Amino acid sequence: MRHRTLFVFFLTAFPGLADDAKSEWVYPGPDGKLVYKKTARGDRIMDFSHAGYMGGGVAIPDVPVRRTVKPAGGEDDAAAIQSALDAIAALPLKDGFRGAVLLAPGTYSCSRPITIPASGVVLQGSGSGAKTGGKSTIKLTGTPHPALVVRRTKGGPQGTGFAPTQTHLTDAYVPSGTNTFTVADATGFAVGDTVAIRRSVTDAWIKFMQMDDLVRDGKSQTWLRAGSTQTAERTIAAINGNTIAVSVPLADSYDAKYLNPPGTAVVKIRPWSGLTQFGIEHLHVESPPQSFNHTQPHFTAMQLTGQDYWVRDVAIDETMNSITVTGKRVTLQNVSVTRKAMHQGSSKPSEISPNASQCLVDRCSVTGDNVWFTATGSNVSGPVVILNCNFQGKSRAESHMRWSTGILYDGCKAPAGGIEIRNRGSMGSGHGWSMGWGVVWNCEAKDFLVQTPPGSMNWLIGGIGRRTLAPRPFGKTPNLPEGTVDSPGRPVTPRSLYLEQLAERLGPRAVKNIGY
């Protein structure tokens, strides 16, 4: 009865749900449990619920304050903030954290980046200004720089007992959305191991994807270099003979016809060696207005990489390419980016770049014209979830470049802009097919551009807005095939795919843990 209880929960949580349509690709069965339609080769819409801090459904912790900083009153505050963070970094870990630095209400002038220096450290303001009460503002001054950074540490744990192990896929076809595959030899692998699934970029695959003839201004463009690899990291959940199950479904398919030789390698690798368990919260960040092209030096808000970290309740004004996150298991929650100064030029900045695997962008907003609301980079292996976000302005949310996989736009709104999953052709330096196995679910936009890559799928389900077609940019092709469209103009049940998947996997408590 648990699944039926979950379905009743969502009927209550989302009024009008009973009048929604039924998608043929994902829908609640008689017991309330989600039923997934598969392609002839076994591909399906993936379980996106693993996106977010700690793999989804885990409440962001409130970390005790160990040190408080007050503004210096017009002087540069960067050194004082950094000193406090460094002091917290020297404390021992307790329950995974060292402590938080609290910025008292006021304005902090900062002429250089502030760095989160160690795992278990949180930078906490007294408020973002989104609600009544105190407000802590980091005011960027001096030459352009990012406000807050976390960089991947060099090296990694050496230790003993680690034996690199490598095998390869033997399945003729591994479908997108599955979490099992067969390898030549599973000897040396164990439950809990981190593995890198290294997908070959071959001349045959590039030609199959029709990415072998990119030209711009008379010059050949390279989409992906033949001989390179695209990597998805996963954790082994079970082994049965030579069949391996991973804890998070695969966001891409693996077709031996186009990948052999050399095939797809499965390699045991060391666990994450960078920073973990850190956060930035309850802050306001502002920079001087920047009415110029993003190719010039500019102020940004955050450049972060790590595992199991978060940014919540942060208001950002006037930065450019505002937030870039990489790593794994990341949550951005209630983050707003506002741009009033008009960006100049056809090449646009990405205000939120969700380039981490298992990334959840939840109830965030971007306001601005001539920007990308969100944009993914190259080789981002989902799940990436953009949930209940609001985008204001004549701009677009899009997958940006070079074959990332497994994104979900869920309940997002862009009333004056658009949402795109497309082939960008020779745009940029040969961005080409930007995304496969992406889903736009119950979103509203002025227009959608969702296209179907060869051998892959992208879905537009329950979308309210104008559907558009387009050729490959800078090419001489006709309009490319539209993605798989289901229930145009009418929302489907469940209203939120991510939240329903999360509740089904971990129970209603997991949904409450993240504030729903």
Side-chain angles (χ1 to χ4, degrees):
M1 293 298 293
R2 182 169 75 95
H3 297 300
R4 186 175 296 277
T5 301
L6 296 181
F7 186 53
V8 171
F9 165 78
F10 280 99
L11 282 173
T12 304
F14 297 99
L17 194 63
D19 297 326
D20 288 347
K22 176 182 175 181
S23 168
E24 65 175 297
W25 287 95
V26 187
Y27 58 90
D31 62 354
K33 187 176 181 179
L34 292 174
V35 178
Y36 294 83
K37 177 182 175 179
K38 294 183 179 180
T39 68
R41 305 194 75 179
D43 305 289
R44 48 159 279 187
I45 289 176
M46 74 180 299
D47 181 356
F48 288 96
S49 71
H50 298 268
Y53 172 70
M54 297 295 290
V58 176
I60 294 173
D62 293 316
V63 178
V65 173
R66 303 297 185 197
R67 184 163 293 204
T68 299
V69 178
K70 296 181 179 180
E75 299 179 15
D76 197 324
D77 294 284
I81 298 172
Q82 191 64 61
S83 178
L85 289 167
D86 292 343
I88 297 299
L91 298 176
L93 289 168
K94 182 179 180 181
D95 299 324
F97 292 94
R98 305 177 197 274
V101 169
L102 173 65
L103 302 184
T107 298
Y108 297 79
S109 297
C110 293
S111 63
R112 61 181 177 88
I114 296 165
T115 300
I116 304 294
S119 298
V121 176
V122 174
L123 178 61
Q124 181 183 116
S126 297
S128 65
K131 299 179 181 179
T132 58
K135 180 179 178 181
S136 301
T137 297
I138 292 178
K139 183 177 181 180
L140 302 179
T141 62
T143 57
H145 62 272
L148 299 156
V149 297
V150 174
R151 297 185 174 94
R152 182 157 191 172
T153 55
K154 295 182 179 180
Q158 300 303 310
T160 60
F162 179 82
T165 306
Q166 180 168 332
T167 186
H168 62 273
L169 296 182
T170 59
D171 301 287
Y173 187 81
V174 177
S176 176
T178 188
N179 69 339
T180 61
F181 49 83
T182 305
V183 297
D185 186 0
T187 303
F189 294 90
V191 172
D193 284 347
T194 302
V195 294
I197 303 164
R198 294 176 179 164
R199 186 182 197 278
S200 304
V201 176
T202 64
D203 286 318
W205 184 58
I206 294 171
K207 186 173 182 178
F208 172 69
M209 297 297 291
Q210 301 170 15
M211 291 285 97
D212 58 329
D213 60 348
L214 295 177
V215 176
R216 183 171 181 178
D217 299 329
K219 298 179 181 179
S220 296
Q221 303 290 308
T222 298
W223 176 52
L224 294 167
R225 181 179 57 82
S228 63
T229 57
Q230 292 202 307
T231 300
E233 292 187 8
R234 294 294 189 263
T235 301
I236 295 178
I239 301 176
N240 183 9
N242 287 328
T243 299
I244 292 176
V246 289
S247 57
V248 178
L250 301 177
D252 204 352
S253 61
Y254 299 80
D255 191 339
K257 179 179 179 181
Y258 301 105
L259 305 180
N260 291 343
T264 300
V266 180
V267 184
K268 178 181 175 180
I269 61 174
R270 293 185 184 274
W272 176 264
S273 61
L275 268 60
T276 65
Q277 299 293 354
F278 62 88
I280 297 167
E281 56 191 20
H282 312 312
L283 274 175
H284 174 226
V285 177
E286 69 175 19
S287 82
Q290 302 181 99
S291 182
F292 49 80
N293 189 271
H294 70 103
T295 57
Q296 301 180 42
H298 55 272
F299 291 100
T300 67
M302 301 181 196
Q303 297 173 359
L304 309 175
T305 187
Q307 180 172 293
D308 292 318
Y309 66 94
W310 70 88
V311 179
R312 64 171 168 177
D313 181 31
V314 175
I316 300 168
D317 289 324
E318 299 299 346
T319 59
M320 192 183 296
N321 285 317
S322 297
I323 304 175
T324 301
V325 296
T326 59
K328 183 189 296 185
R329 298 200 299 252
V330 182
T331 290
L332 306 180
Q333 185 181 91
N334 294 315
V335 175
S336 67
V337 178
T338 302
R339 292 282 310 276
K340 294 182 180 179
M342 174 68 80
H343 172 263
Q344 303 298 313
S346 58
S347 174
K348 304 172 181 61
S350 170
E351 298 311 332
I352 298 179
S353 298
N355 293 332
S357 183
Q358 296 177 251
C359 180
L360 173 62
V361 182
D362 178 21
R363 288 166 287 184
C364 295
S365 66
V366 178
T367 300
D369 292 326
N370 200 33
V371 300
W372 302 121
F373 296 129
T374 64
T376 51
S378 178
N379 188 27
V380 178
S381 177
V384 172
V385 177
I386 316 297
L387 176 65
N388 292 332
C389 291
N390 285 296
F391 303 124
Q392 298 292 330
K394 297 178 181 179
S395 300
R396 322 193 83 68
E398 72 154 21
S399 49
H400 191 62
M401 60 189 297
R402 294 187 172 89
W403 202 245
S404 292
T405 50
I407 194 169
L408 169 65
Y409 289 95
D410 187 341
C412 296
K413 296 182 179 181
I419 298 175
E420 299 183 354
I421 302 178
R422 65 173 300 187
N423 186 333
R424 284 177 43 82
S426 295
M427 285 183 169
S429 53
H431 289 173
W433 280 113
S434 58
M435 179 67 64
W437 311 109
V439 182
V440 181
W441 184 276
N442 283 346
C443 292
E444 299 179 26
K446 181 180 178 181
D447 54 71
F448 298 97
L449 178 55
V450 178
Q451 298 176 327
T452 297
S456 180
M457 297 184 72
N458 290 309
W459 291 267
L460 173 59
I461 300 175
I464 299 175
R466 182 170 63 98
R467 291 155 45 203
T468 59
L469 300 173
R472 192 180 83 182
F474 296 95
K476 297 181 180 180
T477 61
N479 289 336
L480 295 176
E482 188 176 19
T484 300
V485 178
D486 187 11
S487 188
R490 184 180 176 189
V492 298
T493 300
R495 183 59 62 92
S496 169
L497 178 60
Y498 173 80
L499 294 177
E500 180 68 23
Q501 288 177 328
L502 183 63
E504 183 169 298
R505 183 169 67 91
L506 296 176
R509 183 69 214 174
V511 177
K512 293 181 180 179
N513 284 343
I514 64 171
Y516 285 91

